[in-house]
Amino acid sequence: SHRPRLMTAVMIPKVYSKSQKAFVQSILTAIDARKVCEVSYASRESNEVKTYPVHPLCMFEAEGGLYVFVETHRHGSIRILALERIRELKPLDDHFTWPEGFNPKPILEDPFGMIQQESVSVVVRFDEDQAPYVRERAWPASYVFEDQADGSLLMRLETGGIYGLKRWLLGWGRSVEVLEPTWLRDEMRDELAEALQKY
């Protein structure tokens, strides 16, 4: 008999305090006016709060939370700040210009999330009973699906969201197999082996 469909994306929204919710309007106003802001932000790794100026570029929603693309000269790059880690936000008098060459659209349109690395070509195979649930998603036009003689489904894609892809694939359990690239196949095998040790 067919195995039941696996739940691969249980969405539990993040919880925000009143002060964090108040930051939303301040950020949106600063984005619209292109105003430099001073932000106090808690590091994910150490929870240490550091204060520095940023150029807020755009806000977006992902995985039940709100995030902001910012340009920061302190780090010399574009960063993503999570709303729940902003402790204070103060718009300054200075204005900024949009960073040349920065386009958030490809990042926001990647189904596998905002944590981006170098783009990678990936081939995965889904078992026959799960193939219909994979096909029914609204995938990017560049993704290719190939039905196999045994009823399984090959999925060919390119993504820079390797972290999100791995989480998604692990949610399919034994119904999926990574075929390419070899290093991702090895990482999936090792991840599953380590998980097994906990049981």
Side-chain angles (χ1 to χ4, degrees):
S1 62
H2 287 270
R3 298 196 296 275
R5 180 182 179 183
L6 295 173
M7 293 295 292
T8 60
V10 179
M11 183 56 68
I12 302 174
K14 293 184 177 180
V15 177
Y16 297 114
S17 66
K18 287 184 179 179
S19 61
Q20 288 169 336
K21 290 177 181 177
F23 293 150
V24 173
Q25 189 56 53
S26 296
I27 294 169
L28 292 175
T29 300
I31 288 171
D32 188 54
R34 295 201 174 175
K35 294 196 76 173
V36 178
C37 293
E38 185 177 79
V39 66
S40 294
Y41 192 73
S43 163
R44 181 186 297 274
E45 293 76 19
S46 65
N47 215 35
E48 179 185 359
V49 177
K50 295 183 179 179
T51 301
Y52 48 91
V54 297
H55 301 171
L57 303 174
C58 64
M59 178 178 281
F60 62 98
E61 185 177 6
E63 298 185 346
L66 289 172
Y67 300 86
V68 189
F69 277 112
V70 301
E71 182 181 31
T72 167
H73 295 297
R74 180 174 177 271
H75 294 88
S77 62
I78 305 291
R79 297 186 65 203
I80 295 174
L81 304 185
L83 181 65
E84 72 272 12
R85 294 188 171 275
I86 297 176
R87 299 293 178 259
E88 288 187 52
L89 180 84
K90 183 172 71 174
L92 304 177
D93 293 331
D94 297 335
H95 291 77
F96 65 87
T97 57
W98 189 267
E100 186 177 354
F102 174 63
N103 179 12
K105 190 175 180 181
I107 299 173
L108 298 179
E109 289 182 348
D110 191 317
F112 299 111
M114 58 191 173
I115 302 176
Q116 293 283 305
Q117 302 169 215
E118 185 177 346
S119 186
V120 175
S121 296
V122 178
V123 182
V124 296
R125 178 170 52 216
F126 290 90
D127 288 352
E128 179 182 9
D129 59 339
Q130 300 301 307
Y133 304 116
V134 177
R135 273 194 177 277
E136 70 184 12
R137 304 287 183 96
W139 297 108
S142 60
Y143 285 31
V144 176
F145 297 91
E146 300 173 6
D147 294 311
Q148 304 300 293
D150 62 359
S152 64
L153 177 70
L154 285 191
M155 179 179 182
R156 300 179 184 272
L157 62 117
E158 286 202 15
T159 181
I162 301 303
Y163 175 74
L165 173 65
K166 285 173 63 176
R167 288 198 306 169
W168 183 72
L169 291 173
L170 288 166
W172 289 97
R174 61 179 180 173
S175 296
V176 69
E177 178 186 4
V178 174
L179 303 180
E180 300 175 21
T182 302
W183 63 263
L184 180 58
R185 181 182 174 90
D186 291 344
E187 284 188 11
M188 290 287 292
R189 181 200 60 223
D190 293 345
E191 187 94 23
L192 290 166
E194 287 181 26
L196 184 61
Q197 296 302 312
K198 295 184 177 181
Y199 294 91

